[in-house]
């Protein structure tokens, strides 16, 4: 490196420095998101040491190359032995540096990236930068001084909002609360140079954040504690975030000590491992065998069926900017579908997703509604969401075969039916795929992409592309009754039903499971989804149900008396005042059924309920995996995290299985089998895992 020449010098693979007269520039280049890996931390330390030791350098400009400044600590290093220098030490080192450091923020400056920026002496963001401390979403807290420096710059209230919500804010808001000093347009290097000269000229003040004092705000602290007690009682790290921010009114070293102590407690919590697993699950699912196939062009989406599902899918497609052609069998069905879409879009306006003008232009400019399939001839992808009946679906697909343009993807939204049979009713099975949405389809994030025997790789890639465009998480599934999610759910729902018959009331089961962290219990879910939905499937399966299988018919009997759940105001619960109350009719059916079976009803502890339910889920999931229906355990985790309300902090059923351990799962299943040897059978895979000591995570590692 030579002063004034502007030559670049590489400290290591990811950090370089250059000098421009009195300005030293440090560039971080660690794609894809400049995560603060060990190489970044050690390189940055050396670069600052080098420039600070150079008497001609009077100011240092720090910036990132590529799409973002540092988007956080390197999450892949969590849980591994820490390597010096630690991020907190690096941040303190930056703050202590005698030469002022100006930091340029761009892209998504998050977590440890923002903590680096807050340790510098002045900050400029590029327009459009998102700034945040999302550590709480990973079960930790901003442990590199973020809980101490953010309140010093922005005050306790703003720091609480930023750190406890974990939600990034736009640069303008960060400027408003003094987290940054200026917004300037340009490329990061040029802004770093310009900003450095502004510091030199005294136009941009610089200071040590740690030397500032925090005004205590006990009202904001206790309001946040109350809020968290009500909204997130089961989570660990949000509460520790508040404790750490409260400590920021102490001297900096004392506050940092508190932060370290609380950070370590978060790191040791199993919630941290679960939440980080969920983070990677969201991304791992896109790594499919067909990922190198070229997706087909997608502009116009056809939707067959204006029921709840079809209208939800059409809404999702409209919100993502597609032109949508909705078709129904008759005018009545069509106007009901259009009405539901209009209501869904109104909901999107209320949630702040779109403006009222957008809503109107989507309805009038992007939605075409018609009777009959003919208008679908121009659609690039057609999703059938008609009645769940094989004959109905086959008739639709065979008609579509004659109408859809060559290369159009023909998708079915079936939840259970055999897509190979549906594909066989066309002359182009390579174009047929399952796109299984979850209700409400414009809100739920999960979409199963179901790959039939002859589905072509580019059709699969197109399904994944559609999911991405819709902002959904797609998981690849093979064909079986119920695919990944509903197949496993059908199985574990029986475990709940057997506990109900044996003595636990629906409300107790729901309470135990929501206490474990599920968004809803199985009977709340059943009422919401509509008992009539599974009634149809139950009747379909009745003929093939083996005689050894126990069957609980309370839900069917509720349907027989017209109680379909929330949609009729009565199901397992009564919703007369908007809140669920146990339905005496359901309880009397249950008592009758216990009587017929000669059961008195025995007590179940909440722990027993949770253990049986979760074990049943893992049991069937192990079979789904072994049969190759799911690619990897982490795909099953994603299905349950994003489609079935599995508690995110527990990382999903397969991650949970690893926490419990295969030997304990086998022991549990064998114990339960003493009561019901037909239902509780140890799957082959769990036996193997218990014997060879392997885990589901080992299988993820092998596959990814
Ligand atoms: C922290 O900072 C704690 C500090 C205290 C320490 C004491 N590390 O999401 P994308 C990977 S905690 C490692 O698809 P996007 C990601 O896995 C951290 N890897 O892109 C993916 O890899 P793949 C606080 C990371 O443009 C690739 O980058 N920070 C990290 O849709 C692309 O990611 C956060 O929580 C990371 N920190 O979104 C931010 N981040 O291609 C987490 C990403 O092999 N990150 N990767 O699958 C995000 O929110 C988003 O990635 C994004 C970019 C908004 C930065």
């Amino acid at each position: 490196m030579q002063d004034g020449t502007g030559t670049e010098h590489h400290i290591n693979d990811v950090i370089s420095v250059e000098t421009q007269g009195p300005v030293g520039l440090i560039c971080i280049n660690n794609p894809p998101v400049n995560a603060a890996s060990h190489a970044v931390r050690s390189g940055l330390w050396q670069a600052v040491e080098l420039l600070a030791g150079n008497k001609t350098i009077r100011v240092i400009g720090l910036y990132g190359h590529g799409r973002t400044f540092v988007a956080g600590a390197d999450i892949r290093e969590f849980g591994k032995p820490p390597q010096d220098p630690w991020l907190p030490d690096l941040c303190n080192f930056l703050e202590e540096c005698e030469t002022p450091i100006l930091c340029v923020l761009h892209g998504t400056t998050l977590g440890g990236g923002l903590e680096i920026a807050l340790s510098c002496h002045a900050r400029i963001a590029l327009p459009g930068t998102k700034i945040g401390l999302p550590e709480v979403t990973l079960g930790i807290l901003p442990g590199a001084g973020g809980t101490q420096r953010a309140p010093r710059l922005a005050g306790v209230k703003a720091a609480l909002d930023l750190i406890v919500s974990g939600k990034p804010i736009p640069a303008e808001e960060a400027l408003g609360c003094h987290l940054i000093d200026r917004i300037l347009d340009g490329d990061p290097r040029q802004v770093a140079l310009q900003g450095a000269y502004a510091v030199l000229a005294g136009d941009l003040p610089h200071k040590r954040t740690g030397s500032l004092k925090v005004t205590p705000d006990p009202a904001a602290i206790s309001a946040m504690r109350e809020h968290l007690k009500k909204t997130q009682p089961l989570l660990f790290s949000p509460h520790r975030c508040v404790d750490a921010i409260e400590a920021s009114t102490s001297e900096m070293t004392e506050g940092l000590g508190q932060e370290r102590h609380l950070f370590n407690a978060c790191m040791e919590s199993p919630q941290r491992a679960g939440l980080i697993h969920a983070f990677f699950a969201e991304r791992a699912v896109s790594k499919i065998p067909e990922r190198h196939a070229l997706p087909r062009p997608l502009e116009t989406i056809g939707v067959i069926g204006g029921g709840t599902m079809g209208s939800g899918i059409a809404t999702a497609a409209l919100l993502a900017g597609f032109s949508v052609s909705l078709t129904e069998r008759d005018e009545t069905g069509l106007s009901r579908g259009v009405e539901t879409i209009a209501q869904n879009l109104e909901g999107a306006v209320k949630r702040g997703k779109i403006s009222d003008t957008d809503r109107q232009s989507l309805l009038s400019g992007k939605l075409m509604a018609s009777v009959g399939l003919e208008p679908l001839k121009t659609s690039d992808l057609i999703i059938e969401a008609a009645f769940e009946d094989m004959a109905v679906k086959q008739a639709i697909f065979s008609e579509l075969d004659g109408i859809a343009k060559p290369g159009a993807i023909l998708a079915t939204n079936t939840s259970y039916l055999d897509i190979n049979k549906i594909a066989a009713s066309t002359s182009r099975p390579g174009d047929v795929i399952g796109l299984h949405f979850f209700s409400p389809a414009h809100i739920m994030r999960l979409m199963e992409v179901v790959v039939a025997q002859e589905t072509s790789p580019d059709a699969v890639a197109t399904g994944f592309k559609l999911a991405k465009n819709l902002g959904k998480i797609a998981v690849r599934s093979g064909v079986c009754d119920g695919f990944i999610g509903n197949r496993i759910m059908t199985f574990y729902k029986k475990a709940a039903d057997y506990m109900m018959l044996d003595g636990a009331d629906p409300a107790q089961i729901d309470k135990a499971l929501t206490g474990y962290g599920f968004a809803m219990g199985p009977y709340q879910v059943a009422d919401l989804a509509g008992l009539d939905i599974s009634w149809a499937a139950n009747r379909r399966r009745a003929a093939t149900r083996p005689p050894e299988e126990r069957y609980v018919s309370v839900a069917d009997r509720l349907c027989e008396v017209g109680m379909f759940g929330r949609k009729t105001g009565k199901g397992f619960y009564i919703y007369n005042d908007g809140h669920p109350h146990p339905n005496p009719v359901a309880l009397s059916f249950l008592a009758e059924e216990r009587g017929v079976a000669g059961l008195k009803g025995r007590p179940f502890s909440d722990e027993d309920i949770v253990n049986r339910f979760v074990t049943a889920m893992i049991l069937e999931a192990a079979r789904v995996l072994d049969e190759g229906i799911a690619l990897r355990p982490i795909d099953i985790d994603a299905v349950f995290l994003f489609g079935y309300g599995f508690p995110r902090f527990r990382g999903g059923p397969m991650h949970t299985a690893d926490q419990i351990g295969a030997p304990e799962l086998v022991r549990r299943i064998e114990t339960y089998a003493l009561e019901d040897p037909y239902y509780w059978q140890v799957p082959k895979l769990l036996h193997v895992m218990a014997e060879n000591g392997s885990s589901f995570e080992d299988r993820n590692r092998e596959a990814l």
Side-chain angles (χ1 to χ4, degrees):
M1 182 180 68
Q2 291 162 9
D3 290 350
T5 62
T7 22
E8 206 183 335
H9 168 83
H10 287 273
I11 299 281
N12 60 19
D13 285 352
V14 293
I15 301 289
S16 59
V17 291
E18 102 184 74
T19 54
Q20 291 282 344
V23 176
L25 292 178
I26 303 177
C27 174
I28 304 175
N29 184 7
N30 183 27
V33 296
N34 283 328
S37 63
H38 175 247
V40 167
R41 299 193 307 273
S42 64
L44 193 50
W45 191 297
Q46 287 173 52
V48 170
E49 223 164 29
L50 185 74
L51 291 173
N54 181 339
K55 294 291 165 241
T56 60
I57 300 297
R58 289 166 51 216
V59 59
I60 298 172
L62 171 63
Y63 69 97
H65 180 81
R67 62 177 166 169
T68 182
F69 185 66
V70 178
D74 190 332
I75 304 173
R76 286 164 306 193
E77 289 181 3
F78 287 7
K80 296 185 186 154
Q83 278 183 289
D84 279 342
W86 285 12
L87 194 58
D89 295 337
L90 173 67
C91 288
N92 295 342
F93 174 70
L94 296 176
E95 187 169 82
E96 289 307 314
C97 181
E98 292 296 334
T99 313
I101 308 175
L102 160 88
C103 184
V104 176
L105 296 76
H106 80 287
T108 41
T109 299
L110 303 174
L114 181 57
E115 293 182 287
I116 289 175
L118 298 181
S119 318
C120 295
H121 307 104
R123 286 155 290 280
I124 300 179
L126 265 52
T129 307
K130 291 264 198 265
I131 290 163
L133 291 168
E135 284 86 342
V136 74
T137 62
L138 300 170
I140 54 172
L141 52 78
T147 65
Q148 305 303 299
R149 292 191 178 96
R152 278 176 165 76
L153 289 167
V156 169
K157 170 82 176 61
L160 280 169
D161 291 343
L162 188 74
I163 293 172
V164 176
S165 78
K167 287 205 181 97
I169 54 172
E172 293 72 23
E173 202 177 324
L175 184 66
C177 66
H178 312 294
L179 282 172
I180 58 168
D181 304 296
R182 209 163 274 182
I183 299 177
L184 212 60
D185 207 354
D187 80 78
R189 181 184 169 281
Q190 179 207 339
V191 170
L193 203 54
Q194 209 178 327
Y197 277 106
V199 171
L200 270 182
D203 291 342
L204 180 58
H206 59 91
K207 56 186 177 292
R208 287 208 171 95
T209 311
S211 65
L212 304 172
K213 293 272 172 269
V214 178
T215 310
D217 190 345
I221 294 278
S222 59
M224 185 56 88
R225 286 212 168 102
E226 278 310 305
H227 171 70
L228 287 177
K229 239 191 260 171
K230 281 195 206 114
T231 57
Q232 304 182 14
L234 297 175
L235 289 184
F236 185 74
S237 68
H239 303 265
R240 305 294 86 73
C241 289
V242 181
D243 297 346
I245 295 167
E246 191 176 34
S248 68
T249 49
S250 319
E251 285 304 312
M252 187 67 175
T253 42
E254 202 182 315
L256 286 176
Q258 273 294 325
E259 180 192 85
R260 179 109 308 261
H261 167 71
L262 293 162
F263 178 80
N264 288 341
C266 291
M267 283 302 266
E268 278 158 29
S269 149
Q271 294 192 1
R272 188 264 309 160
L275 287 164
I276 289 180
H277 182 78
F279 174 86
F280 285 117
E282 193 171 332
R283 287 152 181 86
V285 288
S286 63
K287 299 191 169 96
I288 51 164
E290 298 84 359
R291 67 180 178 273
H292 302 301
L294 199 62
R296 301 185 195 173
L298 280 182
E299 275 172 31
T300 315
I301 308 289
V303 179
I304 304 172
T308 313
M309 217 50 208
S311 310
I313 296 169
T315 310
L318 285 170
L319 288 171
F322 288 106
S323 294
V324 176
S325 181
L326 177 77
T327 67
E328 254 291 356
R329 276 179 310 187
D330 52 38
E331 287 296 342
T332 321
L334 193 64
S335 51
R336 188 196 50 189
V338 172
E339 179 55 28
T340 314
I341 294 171
Q343 282 167 8
N344 290 344
L345 290 177
E346 254 167 50
V349 174
K350 283 198 194 112
R351 291 196 308 279
K353 297 274 175 210
I354 49 167
S355 69
D356 199 49
T357 326
D358 294 338
R359 180 188 67 82
Q360 285 167 20
S361 61
L362 287 178
L363 276 176
S364 58
K366 289 274 192 182
L367 177 66
M368 210 180 78
S370 39
V371 171
L373 301 183
E374 193 60 28
L376 300 179
K377 62 178 182 242
T378 53
S379 298
D380 300 313
L381 183 145
I382 300 161
I383 307 170
E384 164 278 317
F387 190 63
E388 192 74 341
D389 177 275
M390 182 56 85
V392 171
K393 303 224 185 237
Q394 284 182 326
I396 290 175
F397 272 75
S398 108
E399 192 184 340
L400 260 189
D401 196 15
I403 291 172
K405 67 180 180 186
I409 305 274
L410 311 184
T412 170
N413 178 54
T414 179
S415 327
Y416 289 95
L417 300 177
D418 185 344
I419 299 175
N420 290 314
K421 286 192 186 149
I422 298 176
S425 61
T426 73
S427 64
R428 36 175 141 173
D431 295 340
V432 177
I433 194 165
L435 295 180
H436 181 215
F437 289 79
F438 289 75
S439 188
H442 58 296
I443 294 183
M444 292 290 286
R445 293 194 71 199
L446 178 67
M447 183 173 121
E448 286 176 321
V449 176
V450 190
V451 182
Q453 266 156 17
E454 295 191 47
T455 309
S456 68
D458 58 331
V460 180
T462 314
F464 272 76
K465 182 179 157 197
L466 175 72
K468 199 172 168 117
N469 289 340
L470 301 183
K472 299 205 180 291
I473 296 168
V475 177
R476 189 189 191 282
S477 172
V479 176
C480 67
D481 193 351
F483 318 126
I484 298 176
N486 280 348
R487 165 160 164 194
I488 297 172
M489 185 188 70
T490 305
F491 186 81
Y492 67 68
K493 179 72 192 346
K494 288 180 194 164
D497 279 353
Y498 299 157
M499 288 190 272
M500 176 169 80
L501 192 62
D502 290 338
D505 285 350
Q508 192 206 346
I509 295 174
D510 284 346
K511 191 174 135 288
L513 291 163
T514 49
Y516 177 78
F518 276 98
M520 284 194 272
Y523 299 102
Q524 291 163 330
V525 171
D527 271 2
L528 187 66
L531 302 180
D532 50 326
I533 305 286
S534 34
W535 193 27
N538 292 345
R539 280 184 296 193
R540 185 164 52 79
R541 293 195 186 103
T544 52
R545 190 174 299 126
E548 312 89 296
E549 185 178 316
R550 299 176 80 193
Y551 187 70
V552 184
S553 60
V554 177
D556 296 346
R557 292 182 66 189
L558 286 168
C559 289
E560 282 160 18
V561 296
M563 295 183 181
F564 292 166
R566 273 187 185 252
K567 63 175 94 163
T568 56
K570 285 179 186 170
F572 281 98
Y573 297 92
I574 294 183
Y575 302 88
N576 46 9
D577 57 359
H579 297 288
H581 302 282
N583 181 358
V585 177
L587 295 178
S588 73
F589 286 156
L590 179 57
E592 270 173 42
E593 227 172 304
R594 281 180 191 154
V596 170
L599 296 164
K600 287 202 184 68
R602 64 187 169 88
F604 281 84
S605 69
D606 286 359
E607 190 189 356
D608 198 11
I609 291 171
V610 169
N611 285 351
R612 284 169 186 258
F613 190 81
V614 171
T615 305
M617 192 180 251
I618 295 166
L619 190 166
E620 188 66 2
R623 290 187 188 134
V624 162
L625 192 64
D626 215 14
E627 290 169 25
I629 301 295
L631 285 177
R632 300 149 297 210
I634 204 163
D635 294 75
I636 299 179
D637 284 334
V639 165
F640 283 90
L641 290 169
F642 302 110
Y644 292 81
F646 196 96
R648 190 176 166 98
F649 67 87
R650 296 190 189 274
M654 308 319 267
H655 181 79
T656 302
D658 280 350
Q659 313 297 304
I660 301 169
E664 166 62 11
L665 287 163
V666 169
R667 190 202 62 76
R668 278 188 197 170
I669 297 169
E670 286 173 348
T671 311
Y672 304 150
L674 299 175
E675 298 162 16
D676 182 350
Y678 178 78
Y679 179 78
W680 293 105
Q681 296 180 35
V682 180
K684 200 169 71 223
L685 181 59
L686 274 186
H687 262 314
V688 172
M689 289 170 64
E691 271 161 26
N692 68 13
S694 65
S695 66
F696 287 118
E697 190 52 31
D698 294 335
R699 283 177 165 70
N700 286 329
R701 267 196 294 269
E702 280 160 23
L704 280 168

